[in-house]
Amino acid sequence: MSFDLEALVSACKVALGEEKPQEHISKIVDKLLSDPDSLSQALGHQTIAGIEKLYVSDELTIINVVWAPKMTLNAHNHNVWAVIGVYAGREDNIFWRRVKNDPNGKIEAAGAISIAAGESASLGKNLIHSVTNPTDTFTRAIHIYGGNFFEIDRSEWEPMSLEEAPYSVEKTLAVFQSENAIMDALKVTGGNA
């Protein structure tokens, strides 16, 4: 089986018309993950952290996310459901919940999940999570969202205060760029930045 982006988009669009689209898309992702090597071959063996847009509409976003070694993304929400399928490496997710009656929108840890190559996770619309690649290699994953990932109003949380702030796509992309700068510095210094 080889990865076919057009077929994936088409299958996801059909799933959106189902009563429980997220469940159907989870099955689609699990089928993709049954051949992670095909995904790697089709999407590349990137050594640059980033978010690659594969498909974006108001109802559906499919992205290829590449996490640098040891990279962490602060707690954030999506305000839409998401299905994440890791095809290389591992993602560690910490789940957070809002502290009741906190005027600053503070959060507290509420659980965690580790998603290894060949595994997927289905995240609810109201879920808050932070993501870390705990490995020394790049982690690669397909992320599918039930809306336009790049246009949704949502929140992120400051890592020290755990207080809520407006989410910024630009800030998130800057984190990926910063990780790439660190990787470049490590190459120049032979791993001793």
Side-chain angles (χ1 to χ4, degrees), residues 98-106:
R98 293 178 183 274
V99 175
K100 290 183 182 180
N101 302 319
D102 185 272
N104 298 315
K106 276 191 166 184

Side-chain angles (χ1 to χ4, degrees), residues 180-193:
N180 288 325
I182 292 167
M183 295 302 296
D184 287 344
L186 289 172
K187 289 176 191 172
V188 169
T189 62
N192 298 315

Side-chain angles (χ1 to χ4, degrees), residues 33-44:
L33 294 174
S34 68
D35 188 2
D37 291 338
S38 176
L39 278 175
S40 288
Q41 289 172 4
L43 298 174

